[in-house]
């Protein structure tokens, strides 16, 4: 039978009872702490996801009607390096093969690239890790110009960007020929700095940024698709940020 | 008392730390065979866990530090510290090699460049092993940019990402198997309420719940 409270006050619990109460309290504390710890760990990234940003460009749309900031992205003010095994940054040593299924394959050097028609534009870039930078100023040569020079044959459907240490990234030809896709050699009004793949990288702003290969060494036109470095390691073959095509 | 080879005697006694039963009428009548006896295999398990733990310390530090570094790669460069400085030196004249020497001397760059390259009538590129001088010969603007490796982290990242391939694949595989063994031996180290029939089970379940809840909550791959 349950002992009334006033009786308990008059007769304090014995040593055995006290030990039992302490054990129960310790168990409660442990369970509370463990459950709280689990929740914090499981939902740990939520704070970043809900962090608000007051940049006025965030609520705007692109000319194609899609939101300026793709879903699942957060806005940063500058490009992040994102690593990668560095290639040779030397402009003197740089050579780029334009080859594959084309009539006039060629190899160009850096000075030749600078003598081609230059395009400067501001482009948003979207990294698959979740950051976006608006209006990054790039300068380079449009891929469509190089495709025309090389004489891409009918039936070609894809472009494979080749880079240092065997890195590759595949892009559908119709997207690679858009006017904002280029071989870029300047960023923010200066030659590409070392973390961003100098002397030349590809720029494909409308796909996740891993498609924009750093330390570019070649552009290959192919009929059949060839998934590249990350595409064969679990990332999406296409990589559209607005469809959140992050993983395959 | 004779312990198992290589077993710390003080730790051995934890098997015997079964709470003494309260003196009562029932326990006095309990047959000796029903009392908990120290297991024979648990000391071996603990020894295996301890020695695997010692062996794993080095690689755990490599993988943990590198994991933290690379996990936050969108916040910083875990391999290099980058810098860029702009100098205004005024109009530069002379041949390319002379301009490169003059600029290097003026801004205090030591060493021999790998190459001096005239990319365009106004752009001279001077490349060193870890820095590049981008010189606009018309305006005299020089951008000195480069990278300093974070030696320890860069090596750890190189190992973690298995950039070296070859034999490191076997080392990494062995380490992964070692971690599995550490996890399994760890679960069975302690008997009783602090082991798998009490606190241990709760912690194991909570630990396993972290990835499960995360995948469920985030929508998964």
């Amino acid at each position: 039978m349950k002992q009334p409270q006033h009786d308990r006050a008059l007769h304090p619990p014995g040593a055995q009872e006290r030990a039992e109460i302490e054990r129960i309290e310790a168990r409660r504390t442990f369970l509370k702490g463990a459950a709280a710890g689990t929740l914090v760990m499981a939902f740990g990234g939520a704070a970043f996801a809900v962090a608000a940003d007051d940049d006025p460009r965030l609520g705007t749309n692109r000319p194609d009607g899609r939101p300026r900031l793709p879903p699942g992205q957060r806005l940063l003010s500058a490009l992040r390096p994102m690593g990668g095994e560095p290639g040779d940054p030397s402009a003197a040593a740089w050579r780029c093969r334009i080859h594959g299924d084309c009539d006039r394959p060629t190899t160009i050097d850096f000075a030749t690239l600078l003598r081609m028609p230059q395009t400067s534009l501001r482009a948003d870039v979207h990294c698959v890790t979740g950051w976006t930078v608006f209006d990054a100023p790039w300068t380079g040569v449009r891929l469509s110009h190089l495709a025309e020079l090389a004489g891409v044959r009918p039936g070609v459907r894809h472009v494979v960007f080749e880079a240092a240490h065997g890195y590759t990234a595949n892009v559908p030809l119709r997207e690679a020929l858009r006017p904002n896709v280029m071989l870029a050699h300047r960023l923010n009004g200066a030659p590409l700095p070392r973390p961003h793949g100098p002397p030349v990288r590809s720029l494909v702003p409308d796909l996740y940024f891993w498609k924009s290969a750093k330390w570019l060494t070649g552009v290959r036109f192919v009929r059949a698709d060839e998934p590249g470095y990350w595409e064969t390691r679990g990332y999406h073959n296409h990589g559209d940020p607005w469809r959140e095509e992050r993983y395959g | 008392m004779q312990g198992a080879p290589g077993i710390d005697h003080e730790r051995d006694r934890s098997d015997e730390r079964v709470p003494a039963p309260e003196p009562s009428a029932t326990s006095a009548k309990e047959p000796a065979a029903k009392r908990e006896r120290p297991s024979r295999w648990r000391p071996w398990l603990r020894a295996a866990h301890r020695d695997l733990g010692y062996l794993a310390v080095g690689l755990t530090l490599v993988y943990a530090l590198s994991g933290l570094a690379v996990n936050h790669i969108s916040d910083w460069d875990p391999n290099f510290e980058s810098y860029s400085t702009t100098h205004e030196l005024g109009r530069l004249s002379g041949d390319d090699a002379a301009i490169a020497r003059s600029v290097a001397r003026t801004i205090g760059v030591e060493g021999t460049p790998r190459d001096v390259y005239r990319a365009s009538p106004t752009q001279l590129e001077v490349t060193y092993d870890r820095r590049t001088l981008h010189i606009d010969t018309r305006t005299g603007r020089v951008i000195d940019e480069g990278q300093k490796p974070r030696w320890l982290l860069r090596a750890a990242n190189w190992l973690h990402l298995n950039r070296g391939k070859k034999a490191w694949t076997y080392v990494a595989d062995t380490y992964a198997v070692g971690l599995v063994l550490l996890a399994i031996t760890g679960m069975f180290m302690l008997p009783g309420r602090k082991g798998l029939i009490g606190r241990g089970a709760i912690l194991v379940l909570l630990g396993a719940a972290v990835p499960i809840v995360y995948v469920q909550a985030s929508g998964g791959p």
Side-chain angles (χ1 to χ4, degrees), chain B residues 92 99-100 103 122-124 126 133-137 141-142:
Chain B
L92 300 163
I99 291 174
V103 167
T122 59
Q123 187 175 341
L124 190 64
V126 184
L133 305 178
H134 306 282
I135 305 171
D136 185 326
T137 51
R141 170 172 287 190
V142 178

Side-chain angles (χ1 to χ4, degrees), chain A residues 197-235:
Chain A
V200 179
R201 71 178 298 168
S202 62
L203 174 69
V204 191
D206 291 347
L207 296 179
Y208 281 125
F209 210 30
W210 87 77
K211 297 285 188 179
S212 300
K214 299 193 277 190
W215 300 289
L216 194 74
T217 58
V219 177
R220 185 156 47 92
F221 298 98
V222 293
R223 289 168 184 264
D225 195 8
E226 291 180 25
Y229 181 87
W230 287 116
E231 293 80 3
T232 54
R233 285 165 174 79
Y235 284 81

Side-chain angles (χ1 to χ4, degrees), chain B residues 2-3 13 43 74 81 125 128 148 176 181 194 197 206:
Chain B
Q2 191 177 343
R13 285 197 292 274
S74 57
E81 193 180 338
E125 297 284 305
Y128 294 77
K148 294 173 187 166
L181 290 174
K194 288 192 176 171
I197 60 168
L206 287 175

Side-chain angles (χ1 to χ4, degrees), chain A residues 179-207:
Chain A
N180 62 354
V181 175
M182 62 166 67
L183 269 59
H185 56 85
R186 291 180 81 83
L187 169 64
N188 296 323
L192 275 184
R194 292 202 174 206
H196 296 295
V200 179
R201 71 178 298 168
S202 62
L203 174 69
V204 191
D206 291 347
L207 296 179

Side-chain angles (χ1 to χ4, degrees), chain A residues 34 42 80 88 90 111 194-195, chain B residues 74 114-115 128-129 131-132 214:
Chain A
R80 301 293 191 194
D88 187 349
S90 166
R194 292 202 174 206
Chain B
S74 57
R114 276 174 49 198
D115 50 60
Y128 294 77
D129 280 343
R131 74 201 307 165
T132 303
Y214 193 95

Side-chain angles (χ1 to χ4, degrees), chain B residues 128-202:
Chain B
Y128 294 77
D129 280 343
R130 299 230 169 266
R131 74 201 307 165
T132 303
L133 305 178
H134 306 282
I135 305 171
D136 185 326
T137 51
R138 185 188 52 195
T139 64
R141 170 172 287 190
V142 178
I143 299 172
D144 172 16
E145 60 99 4
Q147 295 178 306
K148 294 173 187 166
R150 303 178 200 274
W151 291 110
L152 188 67
L153 266 180
R154 194 177 176 216
N157 296 338
W158 185 79
L159 290 172
H160 192 150
L161 300 174
N162 198 6
R163 299 262 194 227
K165 302 288 180 192
K166 299 175 185 165
W168 190 254
T169 303
Y170 300 107
V171 178
D173 286 353
T174 308
Y175 175 63
V177 171
L179 285 183
V180 171
L181 290 174
L182 266 176
I184 292 170
T185 53
M187 280 201 300
F188 298 101
M189 276 173 65
L190 289 179
R193 285 180 177 169
K194 288 192 176 171
L196 268 187
I197 60 168
R199 169 187 291 249
I202 294 166

